[in-house]
Amino acid sequence: RVCPVRGAAGTGPGRARPDMDLFGDLRRMNKRQLYYQVLNFAMIVSSALMIWKGLIVITGSESPIVVVLSGSMEPAFHRGDLLFLTNFHDDPIRAGEIVVFKVEGRDIPIVHRVIKVHEKGNGNIKFLTKGDNNEVDDRGLYKEGQNWLEKKDVVGRARGFLPYVGMVTIIMNDYPKFKVCI
């Protein structure tokens, strides 16, 4: 399709350009073409959901991919890095490992390093985290009265990353008007 030149017949002020008239295209479609378009869209959405659910099953993590939102883990991870997570419950948590955890009362998961592990004889493990770029441990981030995290708080463990791929997510969160442009 060729885009008409401004000022050509039918493209003056107040008239929609033919290549931008989505609803006109929809009205010109017969029922079969419209059905196929809706079906294609539904297949794309369902495929994305199946891939996401498959990743959840394969990785054992409720959120197999997360974006680093702050600079607290620099230089290991930077703001906007995309992390790939696993969360196999049989794997023991060790000091030095980078975990993503959720704290009761906070919606956004936190990406920090395990600095201390406290193991009891009954197999119960508690651990303390800290951001590489932070001066103090995370006890101030935990819910009131909580000094240690438990395995139930872990969303996943970092297994790989893509640098800065998640910047789009950060831009859309920091500048909500940008969402409208997309």
PDB file of all heavy atoms in Angstrom, residues 126-161:
ATOM      1  N   LYS A 126      16.846 -20.226  57.441  1.00  0.00           N
ATOM      2  CA  LYS A 126      16.537 -18.802  57.404  1.00  0.00           C
ATOM      3  C   LYS A 126      17.774 -18.102  56.877  1.00  0.00           C
ATOM      4  O   LYS A 126      18.896 -18.573  57.053  1.00  0.00           O
ATOM      5  CB  LYS A 126      16.180 -18.292  58.799  1.00  0.00           C
ATOM      6  CG  LYS A 126      14.889 -18.884  59.322  1.00  0.00           C
ATOM      7  CD  LYS A 126      14.489 -18.261  60.616  1.00  0.00           C
ATOM      8  CE  LYS A 126      13.155 -18.844  61.046  1.00  0.00           C
ATOM      9  NZ  LYS A 126      12.560 -18.088  62.127  1.00  0.00           N
ATOM     10  N   PHE A 127      17.563 -16.966  56.199  1.00  0.00           N
ATOM     11  CA  PHE A 127      18.710 -16.271  55.624  1.00  0.00           C
ATOM     12  C   PHE A 127      18.492 -14.778  55.610  1.00  0.00           C
ATOM     13  O   PHE A 127      17.372 -14.288  55.718  1.00  0.00           O
ATOM     14  CB  PHE A 127      19.020 -16.804  54.216  1.00  0.00           C
ATOM     15  CG  PHE A 127      17.872 -16.729  53.258  1.00  0.00           C
ATOM     16  CD1 PHE A 127      17.726 -15.642  52.411  1.00  0.00           C
ATOM     17  CD2 PHE A 127      16.928 -17.749  53.199  1.00  0.00           C
ATOM     18  CE1 PHE A 127      16.663 -15.573  51.532  1.00  0.00           C
ATOM     19  CE2 PHE A 127      15.857 -17.673  52.318  1.00  0.00           C
ATOM     20  CZ  PHE A 127      15.729 -16.591  51.483  1.00  0.00           C
ATOM     21  N   LEU A 128      19.597 -14.065  55.480  1.00  0.00           N
ATOM     22  CA  LEU A 128      19.620 -12.602  55.478  1.00  0.00           C
ATOM     23  C   LEU A 128      20.164 -12.140  54.129  1.00  0.00           C
ATOM     24  O   LEU A 128      21.085 -12.744  53.593  1.00  0.00           O
ATOM     25  CB  LEU A 128      20.514 -12.103  56.619  1.00  0.00           C
ATOM     26  CG  LEU A 128      20.645 -10.602  56.825  1.00  0.00           C
ATOM     27  CD1 LEU A 128      19.295  -9.993  57.198  1.00  0.00           C
ATOM     28  CD2 LEU A 128      21.665 -10.323  57.921  1.00  0.00           C
ATOM     29  N   THR A 129      19.597 -11.066  53.595  1.00  0.00           N
ATOM     30  CA  THR A 129      20.008 -10.559  52.279  1.00  0.00           C
ATOM     31  C   THR A 129      20.513  -9.120  52.385  1.00  0.00           C
ATOM     32  O   THR A 129      20.275  -8.431  53.368  1.00  0.00           O
ATOM     33  CB  THR A 129      18.833 -10.605  51.279  1.00  0.00           C
ATOM     34  OG1 THR A 129      17.749  -9.851  51.811  1.00  0.00           O
ATOM     35  CG2 THR A 129      18.402 -12.029  51.003  1.00  0.00           C
ATOM     36  N   LYS A 130      21.194  -8.708  51.313  1.00  0.00           N
ATOM     37  CA  LYS A 130      21.710  -7.336  51.231  1.00  0.00           C
ATOM     38  C   LYS A 130      21.984  -7.023  49.763  1.00  0.00           C
ATOM     39  O   LYS A 130      22.451  -7.870  49.018  1.00  0.00           O
ATOM     40  CB  LYS A 130      23.008  -7.223  52.030  1.00  0.00           C
ATOM     41  CG  LYS A 130      23.698  -5.886  51.956  1.00  0.00           C
ATOM     42  CD  LYS A 130      25.023  -5.945  52.702  1.00  0.00           C
ATOM     43  CE  LYS A 130      25.886  -4.746  52.485  1.00  0.00           C
ATOM     44  NZ  LYS A 130      26.366  -4.595  51.128  1.00  0.00           N
ATOM     45  N   GLY A 131      21.710  -5.812  49.350  1.00  0.00           N
ATOM     46  CA  GLY A 131      22.076  -5.361  48.015  1.00  0.00           C
ATOM     47  C   GLY A 131      23.569  -5.093  47.955  1.00  0.00           C
ATOM     48  O   GLY A 131      24.132  -4.539  48.902  1.00  0.00           O
ATOM     49  N   ASP A 132      24.212  -5.494  46.874  1.00  0.00           N
ATOM     50  CA  ASP A 132      25.666  -5.304  46.746  1.00  0.00           C
ATOM     51  C   ASP A 132      26.066  -3.837  46.894  1.00  0.00           C
ATOM     52  O   ASP A 132      27.144  -3.527  47.374  1.00  0.00           O
ATOM     53  CB  ASP A 132      26.164  -5.825  45.392  1.00  0.00           C
ATOM     54  CG  ASP A 132      26.100  -7.332  45.280  1.00  0.00           C
ATOM     55  OD1 ASP A 132      25.764  -7.999  46.291  1.00  0.00           O
ATOM     56  OD2 ASP A 132      26.391  -7.854  44.193  1.00  0.00           O
ATOM     57  N   ASN A 133      25.195  -2.939  46.467  1.00  0.00           N
ATOM     58  CA  ASN A 133      25.497  -1.513  46.468  1.00  0.00           C
ATOM     59  C   ASN A 133      24.956  -0.811  47.726  1.00  0.00           C
ATOM     60  O   ASN A 133      25.040   0.399  47.834  1.00  0.00           O
ATOM     61  CB  ASN A 133      24.908  -0.870  45.207  1.00  0.00           C
ATOM     62  CG  ASN A 133      25.584   0.424  44.832  1.00  0.00           C
ATOM     63  OD1 ASN A 133      26.688   0.716  45.257  1.00  0.00           O
ATOM     64  ND2 ASN A 133      24.911   1.214  44.020  1.00  0.00           N
ATOM     65  N   ASN A 134      24.398  -1.573  48.669  1.00  0.00           N
ATOM     66  CA  ASN A 134      23.839  -1.002  49.895  1.00  0.00           C
ATOM     67  C   ASN A 134      24.831  -1.113  51.037  1.00  0.00           C
ATOM     68  O   ASN A 134      25.641  -2.031  51.071  1.00  0.00           O
ATOM     69  CB  ASN A 134      22.541  -1.718  50.277  1.00  0.00           C
ATOM     70  CG  ASN A 134      21.428  -1.474  49.277  1.00  0.00           C
ATOM     71  OD1 ASN A 134      21.531  -0.631  48.407  1.00  0.00           O
ATOM     72  ND2 ASN A 134      20.359  -2.236  49.405  1.00  0.00           N
ATOM     73  N   GLU A 135      24.737  -0.186  51.985  1.00  0.00           N
ATOM     74  CA  GLU A 135      25.628  -0.168  53.142  1.00  0.00           C
ATOM     75  C   GLU A 135      25.215  -1.176  54.213  1.00  0.00           C
ATOM     76  O   GLU A 135      26.056  -1.709  54.923  1.00  0.00           O
ATOM     77  CB  GLU A 135      25.658   1.242  53.763  1.00  0.00           C
ATOM     78  CG  GLU A 135      26.225   2.305  52.842  1.00  0.00           C
ATOM     79  CD  GLU A 135      27.705   2.120  52.583  1.00  0.00           C
ATOM     80  OE1 GLU A 135      28.438   1.725  53.511  1.00  0.00           O
ATOM     81  OE2 GLU A 135      28.124   2.368  51.438  1.00  0.00           O
ATOM     82  N   VAL A 136      23.919  -1.403  54.374  1.00  0.00           N
ATOM     83  CA  VAL A 136      23.414  -2.266  55.449  1.00  0.00           C
ATOM     84  C   VAL A 136      22.577  -3.407  54.872  1.00  0.00           C
ATOM     85  O   VAL A 136      22.132  -3.352  53.723  1.00  0.00           O
ATOM     86  CB  VAL A 136      22.567  -1.464  56.468  1.00  0.00           C
ATOM     87  CG1 VAL A 136      23.421  -0.431  57.183  1.00  0.00           C
ATOM     88  CG2 VAL A 136      21.384  -0.797  55.803  1.00  0.00           C
ATOM     89  N   ASP A 137      22.322  -4.425  55.721  1.00  0.00           N
ATOM     90  CA  ASP A 137      21.517  -5.562  55.290  1.00  0.00           C
ATOM     91  C   ASP A 137      20.047  -5.143  55.133  1.00  0.00           C
ATOM     92  O   ASP A 137      19.681  -3.998  55.394  1.00  0.00           O
ATOM     93  CB  ASP A 137      21.682  -6.744  56.255  1.00  0.00           C
ATOM     94  CG  ASP A 137      21.206  -6.433  57.662  1.00  0.00           C
ATOM     95  OD1 ASP A 137      20.146  -5.801  57.835  1.00  0.00           O
ATOM     96  OD2 ASP A 137      21.911  -6.832  58.617  1.00  0.00           O
ATOM     97  N   ASP A 138      19.217  -6.101  54.724  1.00  0.00           N
ATOM     98  CA  ASP A 138      17.830  -5.795  54.349  1.00  0.00           C
ATOM     99  C   ASP A 138      16.821  -5.873  55.485  1.00  0.00           C
ATOM    100  O   ASP A 138      15.619  -5.809  55.233  1.00  0.00           O
ATOM    101  CB  ASP A 138      17.381  -6.751  53.238  1.00  0.00           C
ATOM    102  CG  ASP A 138      18.081  -6.490  51.930  1.00  0.00           C
ATOM    103  OD1 ASP A 138      18.633  -5.391  51.752  1.00  0.00           O
ATOM    104  OD2 ASP A 138      18.064  -7.393  51.064  1.00  0.00           O
ATOM    105  N   ARG A 139      17.252  -5.995  56.723  1.00  0.00           N
ATOM    106  CA  ARG A 139      16.289  -6.122  57.823  1.00  0.00           C
ATOM    107  C   ARG A 139      15.304  -4.964  57.865  1.00  0.00           C
ATOM    108  O   ARG A 139      14.164  -5.123  58.277  1.00  0.00           O
ATOM    109  CB  ARG A 139      17.013  -6.266  59.156  1.00  0.00           C
ATOM    110  CG  ARG A 139      17.675  -7.620  59.270  1.00  0.00           C
ATOM    111  CD  ARG A 139      18.337  -7.823  60.605  1.00  0.00           C
ATOM    112  NE  ARG A 139      18.950  -9.149  60.597  1.00  0.00           N
ATOM    113  CZ  ARG A 139      19.965  -9.486  61.339  1.00  0.00           C
ATOM    114  NH1 ARG A 139      20.487  -8.617  62.181  1.00  0.00           N
ATOM    115  NH2 ARG A 139      20.461 -10.693  61.262  1.00  0.00           N
ATOM    116  N   GLY A 140      15.711  -3.803  57.415  1.00  0.00           N
ATOM    117  CA  GLY A 140      14.809  -2.651  57.350  1.00  0.00           C
ATOM    118  C   GLY A 140      13.751  -2.776  56.265  1.00  0.00           C
ATOM    119  O   GLY A 140      12.736  -2.077  56.293  1.00  0.00           O
ATOM    120  N   LEU A 141      13.964  -3.668  55.293  1.00  0.00           N
ATOM    121  CA  LEU A 141      12.991  -3.889  54.219  1.00  0.00           C
ATOM    122  C   LEU A 141      11.965  -4.965  54.566  1.00  0.00           C
ATOM    123  O   LEU A 141      10.876  -4.996  54.008  1.00  0.00           O
ATOM    124  CB  LEU A 141      13.705  -4.309  52.926  1.00  0.00           C
ATOM    125  CG  LEU A 141      14.651  -3.307  52.298  1.00  0.00           C
ATOM    126  CD1 LEU A 141      15.354  -3.938  51.100  1.00  0.00           C
ATOM    127  CD2 LEU A 141      13.907  -2.052  51.877  1.00  0.00           C
ATOM    128  N   TYR A 142      12.337  -5.867  55.483  1.00  0.00           N
ATOM    129  CA  TYR A 142      11.442  -6.964  55.858  1.00  0.00           C
ATOM    130  C   TYR A 142      10.267  -6.411  56.646  1.00  0.00           C
ATOM    131  O   TYR A 142      10.310  -5.284  57.149  1.00  0.00           O
ATOM    132  CB  TYR A 142      12.171  -8.008  56.693  1.00  0.00           C
ATOM    133  CG  TYR A 142      13.409  -8.615  56.047  1.00  0.00           C
ATOM    134  CD1 TYR A 142      14.366  -9.237  56.825  1.00  0.00           C
ATOM    135  CD2 TYR A 142      13.626  -8.564  54.680  1.00  0.00           C
ATOM    136  CE1 TYR A 142      15.511  -9.798  56.265  1.00  0.00           C
ATOM    137  CE2 TYR A 142      14.757  -9.115  54.111  1.00  0.00           C
ATOM    138  CZ  TYR A 142      15.696  -9.725  54.901  1.00  0.00           C
ATOM    139  OH  TYR A 142      16.816 -10.279  54.346  1.00  0.00           O
ATOM    140  N   LYS A 143       9.213  -7.231  56.788  1.00  0.00           N
ATOM    141  CA  LYS A 143       8.063  -6.763  57.573  1.00  0.00           C
ATOM    142  C   LYS A 143       8.481  -6.548  59.022  1.00  0.00           C
ATOM    143  O   LYS A 143       9.498  -7.094  59.481  1.00  0.00           O
ATOM    144  CB  LYS A 143       6.895  -7.731  57.457  1.00  0.00           C
ATOM    145  CG  LYS A 143       7.059  -9.030  58.183  1.00  0.00           C
ATOM    146  CD  LYS A 143       5.828  -9.890  58.041  1.00  0.00           C
ATOM    147  CE  LYS A 143       6.030 -11.165  58.863  1.00  0.00           C
ATOM    148  NZ  LYS A 143       4.884 -12.014  58.844  1.00  0.00           N
ATOM    149  N   GLU A 144       7.714  -5.760  59.728  1.00  0.00           N
ATOM    150  CA  GLU A 144       8.058  -5.399  61.092  1.00  0.00           C
ATOM    151  C   GLU A 144       8.231  -6.640  61.971  1.00  0.00           C
ATOM    152  O   GLU A 144       7.394  -7.539  61.962  1.00  0.00           O
ATOM    153  CB  GLU A 144       6.969  -4.495  61.681  1.00  0.00           C
ATOM    154  CG  GLU A 144       7.356  -3.872  62.989  1.00  0.00           C
ATOM    155  CD  GLU A 144       6.329  -2.872  63.480  1.00  0.00           C
ATOM    156  OE1 GLU A 144       5.693  -2.229  62.633  1.00  0.00           O
ATOM    157  OE2 GLU A 144       6.176  -2.745  64.699  1.00  0.00           O
ATOM    158  N   GLY A 145       9.346  -6.703  62.677  1.00  0.00           N
ATOM    159  CA  GLY A 145       9.629  -7.830  63.559  1.00  0.00           C
ATOM    160  C   GLY A 145      10.293  -9.014  62.868  1.00  0.00           C
ATOM    161  O   GLY A 145      10.675  -9.978  63.522  1.00  0.00           O
ATOM    162  N   GLN A 146      10.441  -8.958  61.565  1.00  0.00           N
ATOM    163  CA  GLN A 146      11.073 -10.051  60.819  1.00  0.00           C
ATOM    164  C   GLN A 146      12.559  -9.743  60.644  1.00  0.00           C
ATOM    165  O   GLN A 146      12.918  -8.693  60.129  1.00  0.00           O
ATOM    166  CB  GLN A 146      10.404 -10.217  59.448  1.00  0.00           C
ATOM    167  CG  GLN A 146      10.953 -11.357  58.633  1.00  0.00           C
ATOM    168  CD  GLN A 146      10.260 -11.489  57.269  1.00  0.00           C
ATOM    169  OE1 GLN A 146       9.498 -10.608  56.852  1.00  0.00           O
ATOM    170  NE2 GLN A 146      10.520 -12.582  56.603  1.00  0.00           N
ATOM    171  N   ASN A 147      13.415 -10.669  61.073  1.00  0.00           N
ATOM    172  CA  ASN A 147      14.856 -10.474  60.961  1.00  0.00           C
ATOM    173  C   ASN A 147      15.499 -11.374  59.920  1.00  0.00           C
ATOM    174  O   ASN A 147      16.641 -11.163  59.545  1.00  0.00           O
ATOM    175  CB  ASN A 147      15.530 -10.701  62.319  1.00  0.00           C
ATOM    176  CG  ASN A 147      15.184  -9.614  63.310  1.00  0.00           C
ATOM    177  OD1 ASN A 147      15.089  -8.455  62.944  1.00  0.00           O
ATOM    178  ND2 ASN A 147      14.967  -9.989  64.545  1.00  0.00           N
ATOM    179  N   TRP A 148      14.790 -12.412  59.483  1.00  0.00           N
ATOM    180  CA  TRP A 148      15.318 -13.383  58.528  1.00  0.00           C
ATOM    181  C   TRP A 148      14.242 -13.701  57.497  1.00  0.00           C
ATOM    182  O   TRP A 148      13.054 -13.615  57.776  1.00  0.00           O
ATOM    183  CB  TRP A 148      15.716 -14.680  59.234  1.00  0.00           C
ATOM    184  CG  TRP A 148      16.788 -14.518  60.258  1.00  0.00           C
ATOM    185  CD1 TRP A 148      16.615 -14.189  61.584  1.00  0.00           C
ATOM    186  CD2 TRP A 148      18.188 -14.658  60.064  1.00  0.00           C
ATOM    187  NE1 TRP A 148      17.835 -14.120  62.210  1.00  0.00           N
ATOM    188  CE2 TRP A 148      18.811 -14.418  61.304  1.00  0.00           C
ATOM    189  CE3 TRP A 148      18.975 -14.975  58.961  1.00  0.00           C
ATOM    190  CZ2 TRP A 148      20.184 -14.472  61.476  1.00  0.00           C
ATOM    191  CZ3 TRP A 148      20.347 -15.051  59.140  1.00  0.00           C
ATOM    192  CH2 TRP A 148      20.937 -14.796  60.373  1.00  0.00           C
ATOM    193  N   LEU A 149      14.666 -14.077  56.311  1.00  0.00           N
ATOM    194  CA  LEU A 149      13.745 -14.576  55.289  1.00  0.00           C
ATOM    195  C   LEU A 149      13.718 -16.097  55.357  1.00  0.00           C
ATOM    196  O   LEU A 149      14.657 -16.722  55.849  1.00  0.00           O
ATOM    197  CB  LEU A 149      14.207 -14.153  53.893  1.00  0.00           C
ATOM    198  CG  LEU A 149      14.125 -12.676  53.554  1.00  0.00           C
ATOM    199  CD1 LEU A 149      14.733 -12.421  52.180  1.00  0.00           C
ATOM    200  CD2 LEU A 149      12.699 -12.182  53.602  1.00  0.00           C
ATOM    201  N   GLU A 150      12.644 -16.671  54.829  1.00  0.00           N
ATOM    202  CA  GLU A 150      12.523 -18.121  54.734  1.00  0.00           C
ATOM    203  C   GLU A 150      12.324 -18.498  53.277  1.00  0.00           C
ATOM    204  O   GLU A 150      12.066 -17.640  52.432  1.00  0.00           O
ATOM    205  CB  GLU A 150      11.342 -18.600  55.577  1.00  0.00           C
ATOM    206  CG  GLU A 150      11.505 -18.287  57.061  1.00  0.00           C
ATOM    207  CD  GLU A 150      10.300 -18.709  57.873  1.00  0.00           C
ATOM    208  OE1 GLU A 150       9.518 -19.568  57.405  1.00  0.00           O
ATOM    209  OE2 GLU A 150      10.131 -18.171  58.970  1.00  0.00           O
ATOM    210  N   LYS A 151      12.417 -19.802  52.986  1.00  0.00           N
ATOM    211  CA  LYS A 151      12.285 -20.257  51.599  1.00  0.00           C
ATOM    212  C   LYS A 151      10.954 -19.841  50.982  1.00  0.00           C
ATOM    213  O   LYS A 151      10.871 -19.579  49.791  1.00  0.00           O
ATOM    214  CB  LYS A 151      12.443 -21.770  51.517  1.00  0.00           C
ATOM    215  CG  LYS A 151      13.860 -22.213  51.325  1.00  0.00           C
ATOM    216  CD  LYS A 151      13.905 -23.676  50.979  1.00  0.00           C
ATOM    217  CE  LYS A 151      15.107 -23.922  50.113  1.00  0.00           C
ATOM    218  NZ  LYS A 151      15.177 -25.297  49.645  1.00  0.00           N
ATOM    219  N   LYS A 152       9.903 -19.754  51.790  1.00  0.00           N
ATOM    220  CA  LYS A 152       8.586 -19.378  51.267  1.00  0.00           C
ATOM    221  C   LYS A 152       8.556 -17.955  50.712  1.00  0.00           C
ATOM    222  O   LYS A 152       7.705 -17.604  49.915  1.00  0.00           O
ATOM    223  CB  LYS A 152       7.505 -19.551  52.343  1.00  0.00           C
ATOM    224  CG  LYS A 152       7.633 -18.578  53.503  1.00  0.00           C
ATOM    225  CD  LYS A 152       6.491 -18.741  54.484  1.00  0.00           C
ATOM    226  CE  LYS A 152       6.612 -17.828  55.668  1.00  0.00           C
ATOM    227  NZ  LYS A 152       6.637 -16.422  55.365  1.00  0.00           N
ATOM    228  N   ASP A 153       9.511 -17.121  51.127  1.00  0.00           N
ATOM    229  CA  ASP A 153       9.583 -15.733  50.655  1.00  0.00           C
ATOM    230  C   ASP A 153      10.266 -15.607  49.291  1.00  0.00           C
ATOM    231  O   ASP A 153      10.164 -14.566  48.648  1.00  0.00           O
ATOM    232  CB  ASP A 153      10.355 -14.873  51.667  1.00  0.00           C
ATOM    233  CG  ASP A 153       9.698 -14.849  53.038  1.00  0.00           C
ATOM    234  OD1 ASP A 153       8.466 -14.691  53.089  1.00  0.00           O
ATOM    235  OD2 ASP A 153      10.419 -14.990  54.045  1.00  0.00           O
ATOM    236  N   VAL A 154      10.948 -16.662  48.848  1.00  0.00           N
ATOM    237  CA  VAL A 154      11.741 -16.608  47.620  1.00  0.00           C
ATOM    238  C   VAL A 154      10.858 -16.817  46.390  1.00  0.00           C
ATOM    239  O   VAL A 154      10.109 -17.786  46.300  1.00  0.00           O
ATOM    240  CB  VAL A 154      12.869 -17.669  47.651  1.00  0.00           C
ATOM    241  CG1 VAL A 154      13.615 -17.698  46.328  1.00  0.00           C
ATOM    242  CG2 VAL A 154      13.816 -17.393  48.791  1.00  0.00           C
ATOM    243  N   VAL A 155      10.954 -15.890  45.449  1.00  0.00           N
ATOM    244  CA  VAL A 155      10.270 -15.999  44.158  1.00  0.00           C
ATOM    245  C   VAL A 155      11.137 -16.806  43.197  1.00  0.00           C
ATOM    246  O   VAL A 155      10.645 -17.587  42.404  1.00  0.00           O
ATOM    247  CB  VAL A 155       9.984 -14.594  43.569  1.00  0.00           C
ATOM    248  CG1 VAL A 155       9.424 -14.685  42.166  1.00  0.00           C
ATOM    249  CG2 VAL A 155       9.056 -13.821  44.474  1.00  0.00           C
ATOM    250  N   GLY A 156      12.450 -16.608  43.280  1.00  0.00           N
ATOM    251  CA  GLY A 156      13.363 -17.328  42.409  1.00  0.00           C
ATOM    252  C   GLY A 156      14.803 -16.949  42.682  1.00  0.00           C
ATOM    253  O   GLY A 156      15.089 -16.066  43.494  1.00  0.00           O
ATOM    254  N   ARG A 157      15.691 -17.643  41.984  1.00  0.00           N
ATOM    255  CA  ARG A 157      17.129 -17.391  42.096  1.00  0.00           C
ATOM    256  C   ARG A 157      17.656 -17.038  40.717  1.00  0.00           C
ATOM    257  O   ARG A 157      17.311 -17.689  39.730  1.00  0.00           O
ATOM    258  CB  ARG A 157      17.838 -18.639  42.587  1.00  0.00           C
ATOM    259  CG  ARG A 157      17.298 -19.117  43.907  1.00  0.00           C
ATOM    260  CD  ARG A 157      17.736 -20.523  44.117  1.00  0.00           C
ATOM    261  NE  ARG A 157      17.022 -21.093  45.236  1.00  0.00           N
ATOM    262  CZ  ARG A 157      17.489 -22.052  45.976  1.00  0.00           C
ATOM    263  NH1 ARG A 157      18.666 -22.566  45.710  1.00  0.00           N
ATOM    264  NH2 ARG A 157      16.796 -22.524  46.962  1.00  0.00           N
ATOM    265  N   ALA A 158      18.482 -16.026  40.674  1.00  0.00           N
ATOM    266  CA  ALA A 158      19.012 -15.560  39.388  1.00  0.00           C
ATOM    267  C   ALA A 158      19.915 -16.624  38.778  1.00  0.00           C
ATOM    268  O   ALA A 158      20.852 -17.095  39.411  1.00  0.00           O
ATOM    269  CB  ALA A 158      19.770 -14.258  39.582  1.00  0.00           C
ATOM    270  N   ARG A 159      19.623 -16.992  37.523  1.00  0.00           N
ATOM    271  CA  ARG A 159      20.427 -17.994  36.810  1.00  0.00           C
ATOM    272  C   ARG A 159      21.076 -17.419  35.556  1.00  0.00           C
ATOM    273  O   ARG A 159      21.976 -18.007  34.992  1.00  0.00           O
ATOM    274  CB  ARG A 159      19.573 -19.192  36.424  1.00  0.00           C
ATOM    275  CG  ARG A 159      18.954 -19.908  37.587  1.00  0.00           C
ATOM    276  CD  ARG A 159      20.015 -20.505  38.482  1.00  0.00           C
ATOM    277  NE  ARG A 159      19.361 -21.285  39.525  1.00  0.00           N
ATOM    278  CZ  ARG A 159      19.908 -21.537  40.685  1.00  0.00           C
ATOM    279  NH1 ARG A 159      21.097 -21.078  40.977  1.00  0.00           N
ATOM    280  NH2 ARG A 159      19.262 -22.239  41.576  1.00  0.00           N
ATOM    281  N   GLY A 160      20.591 -16.274  35.097  1.00  0.00           N
ATOM    282  CA  GLY A 160      21.143 -15.625  33.919  1.00  0.00           C
ATOM    283  C   GLY A 160      20.494 -14.265  33.749  1.00  0.00           C
ATOM    284  O   GLY A 160      19.521 -13.942  34.434  1.00  0.00           O
ATOM    285  N   PHE A 161      21.039 -13.457  32.846  1.00  0.00           N
ATOM    286  CA  PHE A 161      20.463 -12.129  32.629  1.00  0.00           C
ATOM    287  C   PHE A 161      20.801 -11.611  31.241  1.00  0.00           C
ATOM    288  O   PHE A 161      21.743 -12.069  30.594  1.00  0.00           O
ATOM    289  CB  PHE A 161      20.938 -11.146  33.701  1.00  0.00           C
ATOM    290  CG  PHE A 161      22.345 -10.655  33.522  1.00  0.00           C
ATOM    291  CD1 PHE A 161      22.592  -9.396  32.995  1.00  0.00           C
ATOM    292  CD2 PHE A 161      23.432 -11.436  33.879  1.00  0.00           C
ATOM    293  CE1 PHE A 161      23.885  -8.928  32.840  1.00  0.00           C
ATOM    294  CE2 PHE A 161      24.729 -10.982  33.728  1.00  0.00           C
ATOM    295  CZ  PHE A 161      24.952  -9.727  33.208  1.00  0.00           C
TER     296      PHE A 161
END
